[in-house]
Amino acid sequence: MPKAKTAQSRAETTEQQAPSGAGNKENSPLQFDVRIQSIRPGESIKETASVNINGAFAIRGVKIIEGSNGLFVSMPSYKVGNEYKDICFPITQECRKQLHEAVIGAYEQAISQGQDTVAKHHGMQAPEGQPMEMAGM
């Protein structure tokens, strides 16, 4: 039991030492560095990525999944019974939106760059403003 009390004491100490602005919802904007690990355009899980937040917190195993309402960002999770629980997740709606936009944006950029690379390699060019068809990839 003394260990639990020690852990609680540390948590209380940490709270007391937190800067006065900590917990303030008007903190500086979050910076998301998204690294695409793999892209699978023909599958329901379109990509997996790692996300680094403000150079201070990293999340591995973030996925973009094709759902019935379009693409969505899925956080790393574990299964409990018949349901999945996120291991980590954005707390505020604003943070969730920023994370979603950063991950989807990185995915779309990677797809675009992949199409450009394929087109240059094969000497093809898509009509301006239209994506290149990547059949068989």
Side-chain angles (χ1 to χ4, degrees):
M1 292 268 174
K3 288 184 180 181
K5 188 173 184 181
T6 303
Q8 184 179 7
S9 298
R10 284 189 203 135
E12 290 170 358
T13 303
T14 303
E15 286 181 77
Q16 292 171 357
Q17 294 176 351
S20 60
N24 184 353
K25 296 193 184 219
E26 296 179 25
N27 292 336
S28 60
L30 296 173
Q31 300 296 317
F32 296 94
D33 179 20
V34 179
R35 309 261 180 192
I36 305 298
Q37 305 300 318
S38 64
I39 298 177
R40 300 176 219 121
E43 299 180 24
S44 61
I45 297 177
K46 299 297 184 186
E47 66 96 12
T48 57
S50 295
V51 180
N52 184 313
I53 305 171
N54 286 5
F57 189 79
I59 306 169
R60 291 186 180 145
V62 175
K63 299 177 190 120
I64 289 186
I65 298 175
E66 180 75 44
S68 57
N69 295 327
L71 297 176
F72 69 93
V73 176
S74 173
M75 299 301 286
S77 61
Y78 63 97
K79 190 170 184 176
V80 177
N82 292 330
E83 65 181 356
Y84 288 89
K85 302 272 187 180
D86 285 347
I87 293 170
C88 55
F89 50 89
I91 300 294
T92 65
Q93 188 64 29
E94 181 179 340
C95 181
R96 182 174 301 279
K97 180 182 176 197
Q98 289 175 356
L99 176 68
H100 177 83
E101 289 172 353
V103 174
I104 296 289
Y107 170 71
E108 289 172 345
Q109 182 178 5
I111 290 293
S112 174
Q113 288 175 349
Q115 290 172 347
D116 290 346
T117 301
V118 169
K120 287 177 185 172
H121 179 72
H122 292 287
M124 300 180 291
Q125 189 171 10
E128 185 149 338
Q130 295 185 8
M132 184 138 219
E133 289 295 322
M134 294 179 64
M137 298 199 113

